[in-house]
DNA sequence: ACCTGTGAAAAAATTCACAGCG
DNA sequence: CGCTGTGAATTTTTTCACAGGT
């Protein structure tokens, strides 16, 4: 068993917050005791949609793509990278851990053949918008975008942006505030 | 010149929001015209603390470290990766674009000698906490942490966490909600 | 005695709407 | 006329605090 307070400490928040959040998905704690770890874990997996695997295509076989492909926590959670695509002829025909790197021209064919629902976009900013449009048109439902551009896509395609520079800038901002206070 | 509405469209928010946010740092727009692009850019650089360079050490020369080291937007914004550290003897002694990869045992020495203020932690979860503590003790002011653990550090050290799995999970959650609505 | 679940209160963020300047 | 800057209204999020199970 684990209490809301113990969870809060790990997550960097408060017990009340944890209870409010969890209660919005139903009440599965036990008064006086806390939450059972296994049921809680199972319920969160359900909420996050991790009880079934997701077919993922990685678009962009550069350094960021490489890091993401090797990231063990993706596979752990049921994200299956079933295809890798790139435009560089020097990379096409190669393979990472047995998964071939294919020509990005085959994007639509791969999405169809492999029932890809999620695309991880790890390409330069200039290439992102057209590739995102093609992925969306091919039927992809969600895009995890590492390019520093806001993608304009038709309704119904979920986009999540990750901007690594922003995180460092936030740190820089916080440290500058400290300096200013002195 | 650019209007708050035009900025909002690019950023995915509203004009009122942009104006409120900017006004909290003073008023530097022109009524009837909008914001001058150059002055606005300069002011934001100031606010983010990007008008001076930051000395950064990259701890962890794995795939994520490699991607970050090559990320052009860090250098652009004045983040100087002045040292790379790793514990793998196979990597130590090598170099990335002229920057040598040194033994992580030299962390304290490097932080002192190079006046490192920010550490990018790109190491496995199990190694993160002790390395963060050492960096903090050596005088580092901010840590950008890619390991999926909540670092416990003394007051006064800023920590920003980046968790790549969380972003994919959020996408999975959103798509599951769509499925449930059907 | 302990800890959840949740209304009620408080705080924070967002939106509205418009006076005022260019 | 156009667009900022900003109080006021509204909505959302967080915290409080305690009734009610175990």
């Amino acid at each position: 068993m684990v209490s809301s307070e113990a969870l809060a400490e790990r997550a960097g928040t408060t017990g009340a917050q944890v209870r409010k959040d969890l209660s919005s998905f139903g009440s599965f704690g036990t008064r006086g005791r806390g939450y059972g770890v296994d049921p809680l874990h199972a319920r969160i997996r359900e909420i996050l949609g991790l009880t079934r695997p997701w077919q993922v295509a990685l678009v962009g076989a550069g350094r960021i793509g490489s890091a993401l492909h090797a990231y063990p926590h993706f596979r752990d959670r049921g994200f299956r990278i079933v295809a890798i695509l790139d435009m560089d002829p020097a990379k096409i025909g190669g393979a990472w851990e047995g998964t071939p790197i294919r020509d990005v021209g085959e994007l639509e064919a791969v999405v169809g053949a492999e029932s890809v629902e999620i695309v991880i976009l790890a390409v330069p900013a200039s290439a992102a918008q057209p590739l995102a449009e093609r992925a969306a048109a091919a039927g992809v439902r969600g895009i995890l975008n590492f390019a520093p551009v806001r993608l304009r896509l038709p309704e119904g395609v979920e986009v999540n942006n990750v901007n690594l520079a922003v995180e460092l800038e936030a740190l820089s901002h916080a440290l500058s505030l400290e300096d200013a206070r002195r």
Side-chain angles (χ1 to χ4, degrees), chain A:
Chain A
M1 303 291 293
V2 63
S3 72
S4 59
E5 207 59 58
L7 288 168
E9 192 168 4
R10 294 216 198 185
T13 177
T14 65
Q17 189 68 75
V18 167
R19 294 199 298 280
K20 256 272 151 66
D21 288 356
L22 290 178
S23 77
S24 82
F25 299 106
S27 67
F28 39 97
T30 313
R31 300 187 178 200
R33 309 207 132 277
Y35 302 87
V37 171
D38 288 352
L40 179 58
H41 182 249
R43 189 74 185 86
I44 291 175
R45 274 176 36 96
E46 272 177 38
I47 293 165
L48 293 180
L50 302 178
T51 52
R52 58 111 153 168
W54 294 93
Q55 306 284 102
V56 178
L58 173 61
V59 179
R63 285 194 167 87
I64 292 180
S66 166
L68 297 173
H69 184 256
Y71 197 62
H73 305 288
F74 286 170
R75 188 181 306 244
D76 288 355
R77 317 262 161 116
F79 297 102
R80 295 181 180 156
I81 297 181
V82 295
I84 306 169
L85 300 153
D86 201 286
M87 65 167 293
D88 181 352
K91 285 174 184 154
I92 296 165
W96 285 348
E97 293 178 52
T99 304
I101 301 175
R102 303 172 62 175
D103 190 308
V104 77
E106 298 179 59
L107 176 61
E108 289 80 359
V110 166
V111 167
E114 303 278 358
S115 306
V116 169
E117 292 182 283
I118 295 177
V119 156
I120 299 179
L121 248 195
V123 301
S126 57
Q129 177 65 37
L131 286 170
E133 284 171 16
R134 285 175 52 195
V140 161
R141 299 173 61 197
I143 295 178
L144 185 63
N145 174 40
F146 284 82
V149 284
R150 180 152 303 268
L151 300 174
R152 295 203 142 282
L153 291 176
E155 281 291 291
V157 182
E158 289 290 330
V159 178
N160 254 349
N161 297 290
V162 178
N163 187 329
L164 300 172
V166 165
E167 307 296 334
L168 251 188
E169 286 165 3
L171 209 46
S172 163
H173 173 58
L175 299 184
S176 297
L177 278 186
E178 278 181 19
D179 291 345
R181 262 197 289 280
R182 192 156 314 108

